[in-house]
Amino acid sequence: MKKVSSFVFAIALISLILVLLPSNGKGGHLGTYQFMQTGDNRYVLINFWASYDAASREENIRFSEVLKKYDCEAQGLSSVSVSLDDYESLFREVVKNDNLQFSRIYREKKGFSSELAKEFQLNHKFGNFLIDQDGKIVEKNITPEDLEKRLKKQ
C-alpha cells in the first residue's frame, strides 16, 4: 500500500490544527493536540463525509456503530470524522442526530477546496483512510464491515 509521505502527513496534521473546527466547541488546537499525542494507537481511521451526501453520511453512521461496538481506543484505533459541510449549523445538527462515536469529529470549513482535501487527493469524492503509526496507508476506502472484521481479529 502507498505510504503517506511525512510531508503529506505533516500537512494533514497541521491542517487539522489550523483549519478544522471540532464539534465540542473547545477550539481546534486542544482537540487536535490531544489527538496527535495519542502515541499508543497503532492506527488512525480518517473518514471524509458530508451531510448532503446520503451515501457518505450513512457510511459515517455505520463506522460510528462499529467504533461504539468495539472499544477501539483500547484496541489501538483512533478515529477522525471530517465533515466537508459548508454550513456549521447543519454539521452540528447531524453530529447530534446521528450520535457519532468517533475519537474526534471536525468540520473542514473549506470543504473540497481545502488543503486537507487536496493533500488526501479526495478529488471531490468522499472516502476514508486507515493509516498506521508510520504514516503508511494500510487501506483506502475500507468499509465499516471490513473494519469490523479487522477489529474482531485483534
Side-chain angles (χ1 to χ4, degrees), residues 42-136:
R42 297 183 305 272
Y43 297 98
V44 177
L45 173 68
I46 303 175
N47 187 48
F48 294 93
W49 63 282
S51 62
Y52 59 80
D53 182 79
S56 71
R57 183 175 172 189
E58 175 59 34
E59 185 172 75
N60 201 43
I61 292 168
R62 290 186 1 251
F63 272 124
S64 187
E65 290 168 352
V66 170
L67 296 169
K68 184 177 181 180
K69 183 176 179 180
Y70 298 89
D71 186 6
C72 292
E73 290 286 331
Q75 291 197 44
L77 175 66
S78 286
S79 54
V80 182
S81 175
V82 181
S83 168
L84 300 175
D85 279 305
D86 294 327
Y87 302 103
E88 183 177 351
S89 59
L90 185 57
F91 159 72
R92 290 187 185 277
E93 182 179 327
V94 167
V95 168
K96 180 181 175 185
N97 291 341
D98 291 354
N99 192 28
L100 300 179
Q101 302 294 316
F102 288 81
S103 304
R104 300 285 183 265
I105 304 171
Y106 298 97
R107 174 182 156 252
E108 173 49 80
K109 294 188 261 186
K110 295 182 180 178
F112 282 114
S113 63
S114 70
E115 289 301 313
L116 186 63
K118 290 175 188 171
E119 292 299 338
F120 277 95
Q121 300 174 359
L122 294 179
N123 299 320
H124 296 277
K125 296 177 185 167
F126 299 104
N128 62 68
F129 301 85
L130 186 61
I131 302 172
D132 71 10
Q133 62 192 9
D134 296 321
K136 181 181 174 188

